Each structure stands twice: as structure tokens, then as C-alpha cells.
Amino acid sequence: MPSTITPEAVETTVRDTLAQFGPEASDITYDATFEQLDVDSLDLAELSQVIEDEYGVKLKGDDVGKIKTVGDAVDLVVSKA
Amino acid sequence: MTRPENATAIVTGASRGIGAAIAVALAQDGWKVGVNYRADADGAARTVAAIEEAGGQALAVQGDVADANGMADALFERVEAELGPVLALVNNAGVRADGLAISLEDDDWTRVIDTNLTSAFRLTRRALRPMVKARFGRVINVASVVGPRANAGQANYAAAKAGLIGMTKTVATEVARRGVTVNAVAPGFIDTDMTSDVPDAVIEAVPARRAGKPEEVAAAVRFLASDEAGYVTGTTVFVDGGMSA
């Protein structure tokens, strides 16, 4: 059963997932850019898969290509709910 | 990066020929092996028996790789459940439907591209996810000397195999930083059922003046799957007695 989508829950999932890719948890703020965090396109592909597993939301490569910040990722997932 | 414990390999088209030899060779290196086959259940059972007799673990799994409808998921889920995490994929299944381009039917074109190229992409896509997560993986595509080289009567086969080599290079660069390598092996004229109708005269075009053995191709795959090959990616190893030289 997918988890319920709330902005808070999604933000937690995004932060926890990104933290596994290397950046310091404290640096992963809502406004932090993926460039600052050294999060690359393959990291975002992995994040998309975690989101799909957790929330049943399928993110397309096109959509993921446009997002630049942690907040963008959260907003994108919430907008697809 | 070393291979995690319990690591399992899937070899498609492993009921006979090169695929069977690859399955056996990987098992000798300690891989558990999912032996995929389409029609030859007896052949797949022989491959499994050979592996088990040598003290290895294997499972025969039927499935036509050209089937787009969830075949990749079904194959992986069964092998993951019964053997372990799939951290090596050998895309070996292949078919031929020869004819000069001037008279090659659409069906023969499509069937060869679907089985030899599209299926390899689908299985690779399915395989990469857990490999990227595990920070270890080996994808090995069995291409051919036909593709890099011309072979009249095999426009479809050459296109598929050249496509495999192109796909190998690009996917390799996408996942290299996760410890996942993607390589191709390009056999030349190998003595199998699939080449039994090839005229002996072809041997004269081989500098080594003999057909290769499936085990000689398998040895290259075994190396590419090993920990020692962790820095080898995006390349094609020709096992062809010098044909492509």
C-alpha cells in the first residue's frame, strides 16, 4: 500500500534518500540545489524509483530533468498525487 | 568493489551453445545462475545439471526474451526469489533469419531486432536498478563480429549486433560511477547448433583457421563478470580467432 502523500512526508523521503548519495544531511535544505549538493542525474533517477515505490507516483525523465532544487522535487511529487 | 555474497547471474538463451557454456563458467566462479530458455527445456535442464554436479546452484526459467509483456520482471522476480540478488546479466539469447536485404521480409527484420537488441535493452533496464543500488553490477551483451564487420545476408542480425555494441557503450557511461560495468563480447565463428549450416569455407576467412568453442567465449564473459574486471567498461572483447583484426 503506498504511503499517503503529504508535503512533509515527501520532503522527509527526499531528504533521507538524497542523504544516502553523499551530501551532509544538514545541507539538504528545501532551497538547496542539486548542483550544490553534488546530486547528479543518476541520483535523481534513483530518487524517482524510491518515490515510485513509496508513493506509487511515476515521475517521467522529462519532469525530473527540469527540477533544480530539493523543493522542486517535493513540489513535483505532490503535484502528481 | 567485490561481488556481494549470494550474487546471482542471469544468462538468457542458456539451454545450449554459447549461453550454456557461459552459465557453467559463471557458476565455476561462484555465481548462482538463472538459466533462461525459450523452448529447449531439456537443454536448460542439462545446463542446470552440469552446474549442480560441479557443486554450483542454478535454476532453469522459461521465458521468451522477445515478449514485451512483463517478461523481464517475471524472470528477475523468480530468480531473485529463488537464488538471490541479480548482479550479473548476460544478454545472450539470439536468433537468425538470414536473407539478402533486397528480399528480407519485415517480419524477419523485426523478429531479429526484437530478440537480439530490444530484449537486451529491456532486461538491462530491469537489471540496472538493483545493481545501481548495490553499487555493483555486471552487464555483458553477447554481440558478434557481424555488425562491426559486414556479412552479406545478415542485414538484420548485423544491425541488431552493432546496436548492442552502441547500447553497451552508452549505458556503460551512465552507470560507471556506481560500480556497474557494461561490456560486450563479440564472438566470431563459434561451433554451435546455430552455426551448423555455415559452410566450412568460412573457416578460411578466420586467421586462426578453426571455429571457436563456446567455452572460449564463456571465458571472456567470466573475466568481464569478475571483480578483477571492475575497471573494464564500455568495451567489446572480440573472441573471433582474429577475424576482426
Side-chain angles (χ1 to χ4, degrees):
Chain A
M1 214 23 214
S3 309
T4 311
I5 298 186
T6 64
E8 295 75 22
V10 173
E11 189 172 341
T12 304
T13 304
V14 170
R15 283 173 185 242
D16 290 351
T17 307
L18 294 181
Q20 293 169 22
F21 301 147
E24 289 296 322
S26 58
D27 291 338
I28 309 172
T29 61
Y30 191 81
D31 294 321
T33 66
F34 297 131
E35 201 179 346
Q36 288 165 347
L37 298 172
D38 205 15
V39 165
D40 62 22
S41 55
L42 190 55
D43 293 324
L44 292 181
E46 275 194 80
L47 174 64
S48 303
Q49 288 162 352
V50 171
I51 295 289
E52 189 179 335
D53 289 346
E54 180 88 21
Y55 299 104
V57 171
K58 215 173 168 108
L59 302 177
K60 290 198 186 123
D62 270 7
D63 297 331
V64 177
K66 286 179 199 137
I67 60 176
K68 302 265 183 275
T69 67
V70 173
D72 289 347
V74 175
D75 294 345
L76 176 65
V77 176
V78 173
S79 75
K80 298 264 174 188
Chain B
M1 186 73 193
T2 54
R3 173 172 35 145
E5 213 170 306
N6 229 18
T8 301
I10 287 179
V11 183
T12 66
S15 56
R16 57 195 159 154
I18 293 172
I22 290 170
V24 169
L26 290 179
Q28 284 168 351
D29 253 6
W31 290 91
K32 298 180 181 184
V33 184
V35 173
N36 160 258
Y37 68 98
R38 181 187 57 189
D40 185 1
D42 291 345
R46 278 194 295 277
T47 305
V48 169
I51 289 170
E52 288 175 345
E53 276 162 27
Q57 248 183 295
L59 172 74
V61 186
Q62 195 279 330
D64 184 348
V65 295
D67 178 4
N69 300 317
M71 187 276 170
D73 276 336
L75 172 62
F76 274 75
E77 279 164 19
R78 174 105 193 273
V79 173
E80 285 164 349
E82 298 200 26
L83 293 180
V86 176
L87 297 177
L89 167 67
V90 182
N91 286 308
N92 167 75
V95 293
R96 277 171 50 194
D98 299 349
L100 293 176
I102 202 164
S103 57
L104 197 64
E105 305 269 349
D106 277 4
D107 279 356
D108 287 337
W109 173 269
T110 307
R111 188 159 61 90
V112 170
I113 298 288
D114 280 356
T115 304
N116 297 13
L117 178 60
T118 309
S119 73
F121 168 70
R122 283 200 201 99
L123 290 164
T124 300
R125 182 175 58 191
R126 173 61 180 78
L128 287 177
R129 183 176 178 173
M131 290 179 184
V132 161
K133 219 174 218 170
R135 302 293 190 262
F136 180 94
R138 299 283 187 263
V139 177
I140 298 150
N141 295 313
V142 179
S144 172
V145 70
V146 175
R149 273 184 61 122
N151 194 27
Q154 292 198 306
N156 48 3
Y157 192 82
K161 294 299 190 178
L164 266 182
I165 290 174
M167 181 179 86
T168 298
K169 292 182 182 188
T170 286
V171 178
T173 63
E174 290 178 359
V175 295
R177 56 195 181 278
R178 295 292 199 277
V180 179
T181 68
V182 186
N183 291 289
V185 169
F189 180 50
I190 307 297
D191 192 10
T192 66
D193 291 351
M194 196 162 153
T195 56
S196 57
D197 62 337
V198 176
D200 289 345
V202 169
I203 298 290
E204 285 166 30
V206 182
R209 293 287 186 276
R210 67 173 178 87
K213 293 185 235 146
E215 292 74 20
E216 291 174 305
V217 179
V221 173
R222 180 178 177 168
F223 167 68
L224 291 171
S226 72
D227 290 351
E228 288 78 7
Y231 202 57
V232 180
T233 195
T235 198
T236 301
V237 178
F238 286 85
V239 184
D240 65 357
M243 268 179 100
S244 59

